[in-house]
Amino acid sequence: MLDISSPVRVHVETLLAAQNDMGVCDAIEHYAPAGKPSAMTAPHLPKVAGIDSTVPPPAHTVAPAAATPYAQGEPQSPAVAPGALIQDRLAGWVSDLTTLHELTERLNRTTTLDDALRELLRAGAALVGARRGLVVLEPADGLGPDTTIGLGLARADLGHIETVPRSATSYGQLLDVNVETAAAALSEVVQADLLADESLDPRQREVADRLGFAASYAAGLATESAGRIGAAVWLYDEPAEPVERQRHLIGLYVRYATEHLAGLVALDRARTTVATLREELLPSRLPRVAGVQLAARHRTGPRGGGDWYDALPLPDAALGLAVGSVTGSGPSAVAAMGRLRASLRAYAVMEGEDPVAVLSDLELLLRLTEPARSATALFAHCEPALRKIVLAGAGHSPPLVVGERRTEFVETSLSAPLGMLACWEAPSVELRTEPGETVLLYTDGLLHRTGDPMDRAFARLHAAAASVPPGIREDPGAIADHVLRAVLPDGLDAVDSEEDVVLLAARFE
């Protein structure tokens, strides 16, 4: 039995224990020496081609020394001590484990599906020694999302690849096969020399020649729980294929990456469902009412929230405008928002000329049906022919009037949000606008997204409205866009914001 020093054993075992959660310890079993001890005297395999330069090679790896010739009659001995070869081989395993750990850590830091797919392509290219590639995301259940992302390939290049008959492509062979289990889908397709393959599809040969790739390696993306979700393909500029060691490493990495991608696919579907539900619950289009022009802007936070707006024609050529916010986030808040908005529309049709009565009925309904939830709301009954607005608010921010001669907040009475008091009631406020003035209704999310205290946020909103250029004052949509750009320098799509934003603009002629 070969003698391995105790420090070496402890070092390797400690690292393997740390890496066990990643599932990459299979590399040790794969590369474990077998057979006679003399088989271990061969030089270890070269390190994985194309490993990212940020992953440092092990400093203690020592290449086997060359054999030294001996004079005739002198006893010959091995060129390298067996212990040094074992340490060198163990160092190679440690290098592989370190590389996989570094690549999976990078993947774990991705939070969006597109970023994760791009990281998969970059890491896979490093592991198999390729320069370009593409990943086709196409879940087998048909629920999406379906997308194709390239590495080192422009959109036009991807378009050329998509002109190849699907059955002739390596990703098509992985995605279109009927599989009974996810394990069967975890396969690979190796095309080591495309141009030398006489059975190659003529269109595929033409595209390969046009784009300058001569070989490809494809791996299926599938899990036991989610099934097949896609395939990744890496392209070589010259005839080549990954060696056994590289294929084992890419297999370990793809197995882990696919689980991460499956989680992001499920998250993307949930967000899409909430966003679609929310869009359906909000007005599909704003009504056209003589004497007033309308425009609305809104964005939903990543978890989905309860901010909403509405505009509906009322009897006697009147118009009802409403904005509000339901506490909480996620699907439950979106559902509560839909119920609240539908109820307000019914009350507005019956008694819209009295905004206080509308909000009082809404408060009673909320307190009886959802006692654990509160909401803010503002309802305005407008008579465009008279440019007259009667409004009432429940814990909501005051509207802002923007015109050539004034930019000011409407003075409304202080009131608690709906559901906070046993009986809600607050006086209404009457407002008359000048021709060409615009009234802005908004939710608190617009102020919260600034990150400033509320007094500074109100001041920023007022300054943004006062700075509207004269050339766009006749377009409520342009006014809304200008205000949003001035109040939110980072834009509405800031990924670190949990706040919804609603801005409803009504310009009276």
Side-chain angles (χ1 to χ4, degrees):
M1 178 177 180
L2 296 176
D3 184 22
I4 302 177
S5 60
S6 176
V8 173
R9 273 201 311 272
V10 173
H11 173 72
V12 173
E13 291 172 358
T14 303
L15 179 61
L16 293 182
Q19 300 287 348
N20 189 51
D21 291 339
M22 288 173 29
V24 299
C25 294
D26 296 340
I28 293 296
E29 179 182 353
H30 179 78
Y31 296 128
K36 299 180 180 180
S38 60
M40 301 176 61
T41 61
H44 70 281
L45 293 173
K47 294 200 169 40
V48 178
I51 291 298
D52 194 296
S53 59
T54 59
V55 183
H60 55 277
T61 301
V62 180
T68 304
Y70 294 90
Q72 185 175 4
E74 293 183 2
Q76 298 186 6
S77 61
V80 181
L85 286 175
I86 293 177
Q87 287 187 356
D88 190 62
R89 188 174 291 270
L90 290 176
W93 298 338
V94 171
S95 176
D96 291 344
L97 293 172
T98 304
T99 297
L100 288 172
H101 177 72
E102 176 68 20
L103 295 178
T104 52
E105 283 295 310
R106 294 182 192 176
L107 183 67
N108 281 335
R109 288 193 289 268
T110 59
T111 56
T112 65
L113 195 55
D114 283 356
D115 290 344
L117 292 173
R118 289 187 173 89
E119 180 58 33
L120 166 67
L121 284 176
R122 286 191 292 265
L127 290 175
V128 302
R131 186 173 63 89
R132 294 177 291 175
L134 68 151
V135 58
V136 180
L137 189 68
E138 189 177 293
D141 57 13
L143 300 179
D146 296 344
T147 185
T148 301
I149 292 179
L151 172 68
L153 297 171
R155 185 180 297 273
D157 298 334
L158 294 176
H160 287 303
I161 294 176
E162 290 176 353
T163 63
V164 178
R166 186 179 173 96
S167 59
T169 63
S170 54
Y171 66 85
Q173 297 174 34
L174 292 172
L175 295 177
D176 295 341
V177 63
N178 293 323
V179 294
E180 297 296 334
T181 63
L186 287 171
S187 56
E188 59 182 7
V189 175
V190 181
Q191 295 175 312
D193 192 347
L194 287 169
L195 301 182
D197 186 358
E198 297 181 356
S199 62
L200 192 67
D201 184 88
R203 179 56 184 168
Q204 187 176 16
R205 185 185 303 275
E206 179 183 349
V207 171
D209 183 67
R210 182 187 186 96
L211 301 184
F213 64 88
S216 69
Y217 174 78
L221 306 176
T223 67
E224 293 291 343
S225 58
R228 187 206 68 210
I229 63 173
V233 184
W234 290 276
L235 306 175
Y236 297 88
D237 296 339
E238 302 292 339
E241 64 177 296
V243 298
E244 182 182 0
R245 182 186 187 189
Q246 291 173 315
R247 289 163 72 168
H248 183 70
L249 290 175
I250 190 63
L252 294 173
Y253 178 78
V254 166
R255 185 192 311 168
Y256 182 87
T258 305
E259 294 288 348
H260 183 69
L261 290 173
L264 291 178
V265 166
L267 181 60
D268 183 82
R269 288 177 176 178
R271 289 175 174 173
T272 301
T273 300
V274 171
T276 302
L277 177 63
R278 180 182 174 84
E279 292 295 334
E280 292 297 324
L281 291 175
L282 293 175
S284 57
R285 62 182 180 85
L286 295 173
R288 294 184 178 182
V289 179
V292 64
Q293 295 176 298
L294 300 174
R297 302 289 186 269
H298 91 282
R299 290 294 186 276
T300 304
R303 297 181 58 190
D307 287 13
W308 53 276
Y309 69 93
D310 204 354
L312 67 157
L314 297 176
D316 300 326
L319 174 69
L321 301 177
V323 292
S325 177
V326 176
T327 56
S329 60
S332 63
V334 174
M337 175 268 290
R339 293 191 294 268
L340 199 68
R341 173 177 170 265
S343 301
L344 185 141
R345 290 175 71 92
Y347 297 143
V349 171
M350 293 186 295
E351 47 192 6
E353 67 281 356
D354 186 357
V356 172
V358 172
L359 294 185
S360 296
D361 292 342
L362 195 64
E363 193 276 337
L364 179 60
L365 176 69
L366 185 68
R367 182 157 46 88
L368 293 176
T369 59
E370 300 186 57
R373 193 182 297 276
S374 63
T376 65
L378 186 146
F379 178 73
H381 181 269
C382 308
E383 298 181 53
L386 304 176
R387 294 189 301 278
K388 175 184 174 182
I389 304 174
V390 179
L391 60 90
H396 208 81
S397 300
L400 181 61
V401 180
V402 182
E404 294 183 0
R405 290 180 292 182
R406 64 171 175 171
T407 300
E408 61 185 24
F409 291 101
V410 178
E411 294 187 5
T412 58
S413 59
L414 296 176
S415 172
L418 301 175
M420 297 292 290
L421 300 178
C423 182
W424 179 91
E425 185 170 338
S428 60
V429 176
E430 182 176 321
L431 169 69
R432 289 187 180 270
T433 63
E434 298 295 330
E437 287 187 332
T438 300
V439 178
L440 299 179
L441 310 180
Y442 53 93
T443 58
D444 292 342
L446 176 62
L447 305 174
H448 293 158
R449 278 209 185 191
T450 63
D452 294 335
M454 291 303 288
D455 56 343
R456 294 185 181 181
F458 276 114
R460 177 182 289 190
L461 176 59
H462 184 277
S467 65
V468 174
I472 66 172
R473 291 184 182 273
E474 296 183 358
D475 184 356
I479 294 175
D481 292 335
H482 172 84
V483 170
L484 290 174
R485 285 193 300 267
V487 174
L488 304 175
D490 295 334
L492 282 174
D493 297 321
V495 296
D496 58 344
S497 178
E498 298 288 336
E499 298 287 345
D500 292 3
V501 172
V502 166
L503 180 60
L504 179 62
R507 180 182 180 275
F508 292 85
E509 299 175 351

